[in-house]
């Protein structure tokens, strides 16, 4: 492979530098440069992928050493990149779906005066995400990890003049810092244990590491994954992040950034394979989060927040699969790839609806949009069928494989995990059918709006989005239809990833696979039926009912995720901080002030002996001499 791998990162990074430093001079063509940079990176990825296909499976991995990065004492880190079967999947996803979202943004952000800066941030994010998945050591991954966090902060808060957007950006940044501490500590433990942080060095020495050390590394990496992938207990930032422009939601919070945690776990498979307690933690986090997000999605009236909760749930499926070890690594990546198509398509569809509805996001104000936005309806509908797992759409192959693998874990564990994944599939069918019905079917619930500036009353005029927005939606819809079959038939993806994640063991199934498939489809049908009965056969009130169950109230409040953070972390932190302030004021400052007062009072007392009169000094000398003589005489007598 004579084509430089670094071009994958350099092209979008160069675009970001030009757009962010070029100033207003790039306004006229900045969006075109942003799209061209990512498309060029995608072309490089396709060339690399095609060359990998022409090689033997064991020879497809490729390392590229660029320069010596950190030569400090025992810590020697080279800046290197690697392309293998796992990283190329992410490269094609990041640059491919990223290119479509860039093109979509041309139309979506057409009237924004800061469009050039927006594309600069998008390019920066793509470059950071590519570094994350291409680095051949954990320190390089960490730099990309932090770069993704920075770009996410900038994009979520892009409309910083809105207090809600500024707050959401800060919240995402702070919550992610918690996970980042876990990754930083994991690197420190690795270096302290084996003297290296390269993948090759850490994985090669994993068999000789102490079991407790491996478990600690695994749990710290899991903490990092929870922050970046919005998994319990660090999930609270994802819903608020919808305050950013919709293309941000599609790129960062559907197709790429939130999958970084899954990549970290799968890439670190050799560590988890030797640390069963850490792997159990991964499974528990995934299982809890997939239900957590699904329940929240059932109660959201904001279309983007409903999809955000869905993202949390679907990433939970991936984490659950990754926690099942070699039996689940390839399946987790399969669902990650199919999810990249249908969830990005769903978010772009939501953005198209907002574009046609004057930025309205409340689904209770929609209804009947299928007739006035037919392309959006069809593409969104295909994504809907994919995410709920209707055959032969993409989600059917990947999500059903996770459910089957969970049941195959065996014993009580298999029943618990399989049952959880199955229940999540039914809830997913319910809330996504709810989204479809409230948005595209039923009576039109549009309402006139009053301009706060002019007081004018305007009626919504729903209309289809321009081609720059609908074409990417169509391409993603095609992926939502065919990606699952392409990756699953004949174990295509499993065989492709085998040199990196290991062979996919055929676990014995206590329940025949066809039975699990039939039961899953039945559960999905039940979820659809319940949603149809609630939202298609009854009028949808324009205002959300207040007389609801305690579970609905909890789901509307994100299952009290923010309240828990406030009670467990924020308020105790405030009290601890107040205590330290008091110690500083009363203790440290008190001691310092007391010493100053003591020196001052002592000086005042001593000053009384400095009168400036010679007779006083003579008297003092006489008195001192008398004391000395008396002391000498006393000693002699004694």
């Amino acid at each position: 492979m004579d084509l430089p791998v670094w071009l994958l990162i350099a092209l979008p990074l160069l675009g970001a530098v030009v757009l962010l430093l070029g100033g207003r001079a790039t306004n006229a063509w900045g969006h075109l440069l942003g799209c061209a940079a990512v498309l060029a990176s995608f072309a490089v990825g396709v060339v690399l992928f095609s060359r990998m296909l022409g090689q033997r499976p064991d020879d497809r991995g490729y390392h590229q050493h660029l320069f010596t990065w950190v030569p400090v004492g025992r810590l020697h880190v080279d800046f290197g990149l690697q392309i293998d079967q796992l990283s190329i999947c992410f490269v094609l996803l990041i640059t491919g779906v990223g290119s479509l979202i860039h093109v979509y943004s041309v139309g979506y952000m057409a009237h924004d005066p800061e469009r050039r800066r927006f594309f600069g941030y998008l390019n920066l994010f793509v470059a950071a995400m590519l570094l994350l998945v291409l680095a051949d050591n954990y320190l390089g991954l960490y730099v990309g990890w932090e770069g993704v966090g920075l770009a996410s902060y900038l994009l979520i808060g892009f409309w910083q003049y809105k207090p809600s957007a500024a707050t959401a950006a800060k919240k995402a940044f702070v919550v992610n810092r918690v996970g980042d501490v876990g990754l930083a500590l994991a690197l420190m433990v690795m270096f302290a244990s084996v003297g290296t942080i390269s993948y090759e060095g850490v994985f090669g020495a994993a068999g000789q590491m102490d079991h407790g050390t491996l478990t600690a590394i695994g749990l710290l990496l899991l903490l990092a994954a929870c922050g970046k992938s919005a998994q319990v207990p660090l999930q609270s930032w994802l819903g608020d992040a919808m305050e950013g422009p919709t293309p941000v939601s599609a790129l960062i919070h559907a197709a790429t950034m939130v999958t970084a945690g899954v990549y970290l776990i799968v890439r670190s498979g050799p560590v988890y394979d030797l640390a069963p307690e850490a792997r159990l933690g991964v499974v528990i986090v995934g299982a809890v989060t997939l239900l957590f997000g699904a329940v929240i999605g059932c109660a959201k009236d904001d279309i983007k927040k409903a999809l955000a909760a869905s993202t949390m749930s679907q990433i939970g499926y991936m984490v659950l699969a990754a926690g099942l070890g070699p039996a689940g690594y390839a399946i987790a990546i399969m669902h990650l790839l199919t999810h990249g198509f249908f969830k990005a398509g769903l978010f772009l569809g939501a953005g198209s609806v907002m574009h046609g509805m004057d930025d309205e996001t409340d689904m209770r104000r929609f209804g009947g949009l299928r007739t006035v936005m037919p392309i959006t309806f069809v593409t969104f509908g295909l994504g809907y069928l994919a995410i709920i797992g209707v055959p032969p759409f993409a989600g059917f192959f990947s999500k059903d494989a996770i459910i089957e693998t969970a049941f195959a874990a065996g014993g009580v564990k298999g029943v618990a995990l399989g049952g959880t994944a199955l229940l999540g599939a039914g809830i997913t069918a319910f809330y996504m059918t709810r989204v479809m019905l409230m948005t595209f079917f039923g009576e039109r619930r549009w309402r006139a709006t009053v301009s706060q500036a002019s007081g004018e009353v305007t009626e919504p005029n729903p209309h289809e989005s321009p081609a720059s927005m609908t074409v990417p939606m169509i391409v993603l819809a095609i992926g939502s239809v065919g990606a699952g079959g392409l990756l699953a038939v004949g174990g295509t993806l499993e065989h492709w990833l085998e040199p990196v994640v290991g062979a996919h063991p055929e676990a014995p199934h206590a329940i025949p696979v066809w039975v699990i498939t039939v039961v899953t489809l039945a559960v999905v049908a039940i979820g659809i039926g319940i949603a149809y009965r609630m939202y298609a056969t009854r009028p949808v009130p324009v205002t959300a009912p207040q007389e609801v169950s305690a579970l609905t109230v909890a789901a509307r409040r994100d299952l009290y995720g923010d309240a828990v953070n406030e009670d467990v972390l924020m308020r105790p932190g405030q009290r601890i901080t107040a205590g330290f302030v008091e110690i500083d004021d009363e203790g440290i400052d008190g001691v310092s002030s007391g010493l100053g007062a003591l020196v001052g009072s002592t000086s005042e007392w001593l000053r009384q002996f400095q009168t400036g009169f010679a007779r006083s000094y003579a008297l003092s000398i006489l008195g001192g001499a008398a004391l000395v003589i008396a002391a000498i005489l006393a000693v002699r007598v004694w």
Side-chain angles (χ1 to χ4, degrees):
M1 294 185 185
D2 54 353
L3 190 66
V5 178
W6 57 266
L7 273 177
L8 288 166
I9 303 170
L11 289 167
L13 183 60
L14 177 62
V17 170
V18 172
L19 293 175
L20 297 177
L21 300 183
R24 300 185 183 279
T26 63
N27 279 353
W29 44 267
H31 57 289
L32 300 178
L33 174 63
C35 292
V38 179
L39 285 167
S41 185
F42 175 64
V44 174
V46 171
V47 171
L48 289 171
F49 176 63
S50 65
R51 294 188 181 184
M52 292 175 71
L53 289 174
Q55 297 178 336
R56 294 173 57 252
D58 293 338
D59 296 332
R60 287 170 176 161
Y62 175 70
H63 285 77
Q64 186 173 66
H65 173 266
L66 297 180
F67 54 86
T68 298
W69 188 15
V70 184
V72 180
R74 291 176 53 230
L75 179 60
H76 184 93
V77 181
D78 292 330
F79 192 93
L81 304 175
Q82 70 174 22
I83 281 283
D84 59 18
Q85 290 87 335
L86 177 60
S87 59
I88 195 65
C89 291
F90 280 84
V91 166
L92 295 176
L93 175 69
I94 295 164
T95 58
V97 175
S99 296
L100 295 173
I101 294 171
H102 275 69
V103 173
Y104 176 95
S105 300
V106 172
Y108 190 87
M109 303 293 289
H111 302 293
D112 195 295
E114 295 292 330
R115 180 170 64 169
R116 177 262 313 164
R117 181 166 59 89
F118 179 77
F119 275 87
Y121 292 161
L122 285 183
N123 275 194
L124 178 63
F125 173 83
V126 171
M129 191 68 197
L130 286 170
L131 174 59
L132 190 157
V133 300
L134 288 172
D136 65 353
N137 61 80
Y138 279 102
L139 186 58
L141 179 146
Y142 184 80
V143 173
W145 193 272
E146 293 298 331
V148 165
L150 170 63
S152 174
Y153 168 78
L154 295 172
L155 286 166
I156 295 170
F158 182 74
W159 291 324
Q160 69 271 15
Y161 57 83
K162 296 168 53 180
S164 56
T167 301
K170 288 186 289 185
K171 183 177 181 179
F173 192 80
V174 170
V175 174
N176 272 270
R177 294 292 73 72
V178 177
D180 295 352
V181 169
L183 182 56
L185 291 175
L187 267 64
M188 295 176 191
V189 175
M190 291 175 191
F191 175 67
S193 302
V194 297
T196 180
I197 51 177
S198 68
Y199 295 148
E200 184 178 4
V202 172
F203 301 158
Q208 288 73 48
M209 282 192 205
D210 178 75
H211 181 74
T213 301
L214 282 170
T215 301
I217 292 173
L219 292 177
L220 289 170
L221 293 177
L222 174 60
L223 177 62
C226 287
K228 202 65 72 183
S229 294
Q231 299 293 283
V232 172
L234 301 179
Q235 81 293 341
S236 61
W237 65 271
L238 188 62
D240 297 83
M242 297 302 105
E243 290 293 335
T246 299
V248 175
S249 304
L251 179 64
I252 295 181
H253 310 122
T256 54
M257 173 177 161
V258 291
T259 63
V262 181
Y263 171 80
L264 180 63
I265 293 172
V266 174
R267 175 63 75 186
S268 305
V271 172
Y272 285 102
D273 291 342
L274 298 173
E277 293 84 0
R279 201 163 76 181
L280 178 61
V282 174
V283 169
I284 293 173
V285 166
V288 170
T289 306
L290 77 86
L291 286 181
F292 203 94
V295 171
I296 292 174
C298 294
K300 294 297 182 182
D301 292 331
D302 185 309
I303 187 171
K304 287 179 65 177
K305 290 191 175 183
L307 294 178
S310 172
T311 296
M312 187 194 310
S313 179
Q314 297 304 307
I315 301 296
Y317 272 102
M318 301 173 206
V319 172
L320 168 61
L324 295 173
Y329 291 145
I331 295 172
I333 299 301
M334 184 193 302
H335 194 53
L336 185 152
L337 296 175
T338 59
H339 179 265
F341 283 103
F342 60 69
K343 184 53 65 65
L346 289 169
F347 267 115
L348 295 190
S352 180
V353 170
M354 293 169 58
H355 179 81
M357 290 292 291
D358 297 329
D359 288 331
E360 178 65 74
T361 60
D362 190 345
M363 294 184 293
R364 295 183 181 276
R365 310 293 181 185
F366 295 161
L369 292 179
R370 70 185 186 281
T371 57
V372 292
M373 305 182 71
I375 298 177
T376 300
F377 166 64
V378 172
T379 55
F380 194 97
L382 293 175
Y384 154 74
L385 294 173
I387 192 174
I388 68 174
V390 172
F393 298 92
F396 167 75
F397 295 95
S398 57
K399 188 186 294 183
D400 274 35
I402 294 175
I403 296 173
E404 294 163 8
T405 306
F407 274 113
V412 177
K413 177 182 177 181
V415 173
L417 295 179
T420 298
L422 187 62
L423 177 60
I427 301 176
T428 300
F430 170 81
Y431 70 71
M432 285 306 303
T433 303
R434 175 178 179 267
V435 170
M436 280 295 296
L437 293 174
M438 292 179 68
T439 302
F440 295 103
F441 293 89
E443 298 180 354
R444 298 179 176 183
R445 300 181 298 278
W446 315 334
R447 65 172 183 175
T449 58
V450 180
S451 173
Q452 295 182 353
S454 62
E456 295 181 358
V457 179
T458 59
E459 289 285 344
N461 180 30
H463 55 280
E464 192 56 88
S465 299
S468 62
M469 297 172 63
T470 56
V471 170
M473 291 160 56
I474 292 171
V475 175
L476 290 170
I478 294 172
S480 299
V481 175
L486 183 65
L487 296 173
V489 172
T492 303
L493 185 64
E494 294 173 5
H495 294 315
W496 173 259
L497 293 175
E498 184 174 325
V500 180
V501 303
H504 178 76
E506 290 295 333
H509 291 272
I511 306 173
V513 172
W514 70 268
V515 174
I516 297 176
T517 300
V518 171
V519 172
T520 302
L521 292 176
V523 170
V524 168
I526 291 171
I528 295 173
I530 295 174
Y532 182 84
R533 183 171 181 272
M534 293 179 63
Y535 296 97
T537 62
R538 307 173 186 174
V540 176
V542 177
T543 303
Q546 299 302 310
E547 300 295 328
V548 293
S549 66
L551 179 59
T552 301
V553 173
R556 287 178 179 175
R557 298 179 181 177
D558 297 337
L559 295 182
Y560 303 109
D562 286 333
V564 170
N565 287 340
E566 290 177 3
D567 291 339
V568 175
L569 299 174
M570 189 188 77
R571 291 195 178 92
Q574 288 176 331
R575 287 193 288 268
I576 292 172
T577 302
F580 280 125
V581 170
E582 185 174 353
I583 291 173
D584 182 67
D585 290 342
E586 303 297 330
I588 298 174
D589 287 353
V591 171
S592 178
S593 301
L595 288 174
L598 177 61
V599 171
S601 60
T602 303
S603 300
E604 288 291 337
W605 180 72
L606 290 174
R607 190 179 294 122
Q608 297 176 8
F609 298 96
Q610 302 296 322
T611 62
F613 295 110
R615 59 179 178 271
S616 298
Y617 300 147
L619 181 61
S620 299
I621 294 172
L622 177 62
L627 288 175
V628 170
I629 293 170
I632 293 172
L633 293 175
V635 170
R636 287 184 175 181
V637 172
W638 181 77

